[in-house]
Amino acid sequence: MIKKDLFDNESPVFMGSKREINNCSIGIFGVNYDGTCSFKPGARFGPDSIRKVSQCLETYCPKLKKDLEDINYVDLGSLNINSLESSNVINKVKLATNYLLKKNLTPLILGGEHSITRGVIEALIEKYPNLILVQLDAHADLRASYMGNKHSHACTMKRCLEILPEKKILQIGIRSGTKEEFKFMIDNNQLINFRTGENGKEFSKALSPYKNYPIYLTIDLDWFDPSLLSGTGTPEPGGFFWNDFEVILEKLKTFDIVGSDIVELSPEIDGSDVSSVVAAKVLRSLIMTVNNMQYNVYTSKVEK
Ligand code: MN
Ligand code: MN
């Protein structure tokens, strides 16, 4: 049974997702929230747009050689949000993530905007104290505060860093931020150089000490180039393409990804729906990748 007060499960489901938790190892939920968007809002329509266009995707991925039909995943619907105040939304995201963890579901969260990641991390570090973060984003998101809100999407990595015991974030291919944000990333060795078309050598190197660590992957879709994915609130030229995403996944698939989010899709900006299709394919890839480690390999190790 899915907790009714947490999720509104009237939305369509992602691809062939179940609505029942039984026998599932992956749980998806949406957060229809864009209260802190600094430029163009609309990310609150992201989760349902991903679900809607997902019907055009095949269940088989020739690259990962996996079929969604062999994986049990549940789409619990979108979070019931009764207050648009960002700290309340973040708290609700934490409650929902805790609920999934208790049910032994690997959480995959659909934004909404990037501020929601803090709520997921608050829940995850209770289970995985040595969690590290991998961020795909055009922006550093390391501001202390933005437009008077310390929970703005422009501050989300800063808010996560504050609570991560390991203080480790690998920020891949960030191309926009303040002078201070870039100095901070470089001083702390957390800016991973990555250029479109390359093979991700520097990312491999940065990732290699974390073989036995639980990893959370946060994907701000504006990491992709606006020519591929224009449906996002703060587009940034000079971004990445589908092959680049495959390079990143190829590196990550032998690591222990214990959760992920896909944020900042603003579907109404892109009338062609291509942005939503790209986001849906990212989610399909994640379902196939987080399941790769059989999930409980890590937990059984620490809980013994
Ligand atoms: Mn961004
Ligand atoms: Mn972001």
Side-chain angles (χ1 to χ4, degrees):
M1 275 292 282
I2 294 171
K3 220 166 178 273
K4 287 269 166 28
D5 56 328
L6 269 181
F7 305 101
D8 135 38
N9 55 7
E10 268 151 38
S11 40
V13 295
F14 178 75
M15 296 193 75
S17 162
K18 297 185 171 50
R19 267 286 199 236
E20 282 288 316
I21 291 171
N22 288 348
N23 301 320
C24 288
S25 57
I26 293 169
I28 298 164
F29 70 86
V31 187
N32 304 341
Y33 179 65
D34 55 17
T36 82
C37 276
S38 43
F39 187 45
K40 283 188 179 176
R44 65 182 182 277
F45 303 115
D48 277 356
S49 187
I50 291 173
R51 291 172 172 126
K52 231 180 291 157
V53 302
S54 71
Q55 308 310 327
C56 80
L57 294 183
E58 297 281 3
T59 59
Y60 181 67
C61 174
K63 180 81 183 183
L64 297 169
K65 297 192 175 57
K66 291 201 170 192
D67 201 310
L68 280 193
E69 289 186 345
D70 303 325
I71 304 171
N72 287 324
Y73 56 100
V74 53
D75 184 345
L76 297 104
S78 286
L79 213 53
N80 273 324
I81 293 174
N82 33 30
S83 153
L84 291 180
E85 210 272 303
S86 40
S87 54
N88 286 336
V89 176
I90 288 167
N91 201 36
K92 202 93 200 243
V93 170
K94 179 186 181 182
L95 287 176
T97 307
N98 267 331
Y99 174 73
L100 267 68
L101 294 176
K102 267 192 213 107
K103 301 278 179 190
N104 272 327
L105 298 168
T106 301
L108 294 183
I109 291 119
L110 305 177
E113 37 111 321
H114 213 165
S115 63
I116 63 169
T117 302
R118 159 83 185 218
V120 189
I121 300 303
E122 282 182 21
L124 279 173
I125 56 174
E126 288 171 11
K127 181 166 183 173
Y128 307 107
N130 58 342
L131 187 75
I132 73 154
L133 240 68
V134 173
Q135 177 201 13
L136 304 187
D137 202 322
H139 311 95
D141 292 349
L142 287 166
R143 283 176 150 96
S145 169
Y146 192 62
M147 294 164 88
N149 185 354
K150 70 184 178 79
H151 284 301
S152 156
H153 65 164
C155 313
T156 187
M157 288 302 108
K158 182 86 174 165
R159 295 290 89 82
C160 290
L161 254 184
E162 284 168 354
I163 53 168
L164 277 174
E166 293 280 329
K167 305 271 175 244
K168 194 70 202 171
I169 303 187
L170 302 178
Q171 302 182 274
I172 304 171
I174 307 299
R175 59 189 186 275
S176 175
T178 63
K179 193 162 73 177
E180 292 74 25
E181 285 179 302
F182 272 90
K183 183 176 186 310
F184 183 87
M185 288 191 286
I186 292 163
D187 288 352
N188 290 284
N189 257 333
Q190 62 192 52
L191 177 61
I192 311 304
N193 285 319
F194 184 70
R195 279 166 300 276
T196 180
E198 67 148 286
N199 63 8
K201 230 163 84 187
E202 199 171 316
F203 179 45
S204 279
K205 211 173 124 200
L207 205 53
S208 61
Y210 300 101
K211 197 76 201 176
N212 295 312
Y213 282 67
I215 293 175
Y216 184 78
L217 174 63
T218 180
I219 302 173
D220 181 329
L221 291 166
D222 61 31
W223 182 76
F224 288 103
D225 192 78
S227 64
L228 170 64
L229 194 148
S230 59
T232 189
T234 33
E236 190 69 45
F240 298 97
F241 295 89
W242 186 257
N243 288 351
D244 301 313
F245 180 65
E246 287 184 335
V247 167
I248 299 294
L249 270 195
E250 185 64 32
K251 307 287 177 201
L252 280 170
K253 75 178 189 192
T254 54
F255 285 78
D256 204 359
I257 303 173
V258 298
S260 184
D261 60 51
I262 301 171
V263 297
E264 300 285 351
L265 172 69
S266 195
E268 294 186 346
I269 295 172
D270 175 10
S272 76
D273 278 345
V274 172
S275 302
S276 299
V277 172
V278 174
K281 202 169 166 185
V282 169
L283 179 56
R284 189 188 76 174
S285 309
L286 290 177
I287 294 171
M288 293 169 175
T289 306
V290 294
N291 221 32
N292 218 31
M293 291 292 288
Q294 304 295 317
Y295 177 65
N296 276 320
V297 174
Y298 175 78
T299 27
S300 60
K301 248 188 294 183
V302 291
E303 281 172 5
K304 243 180 247 167

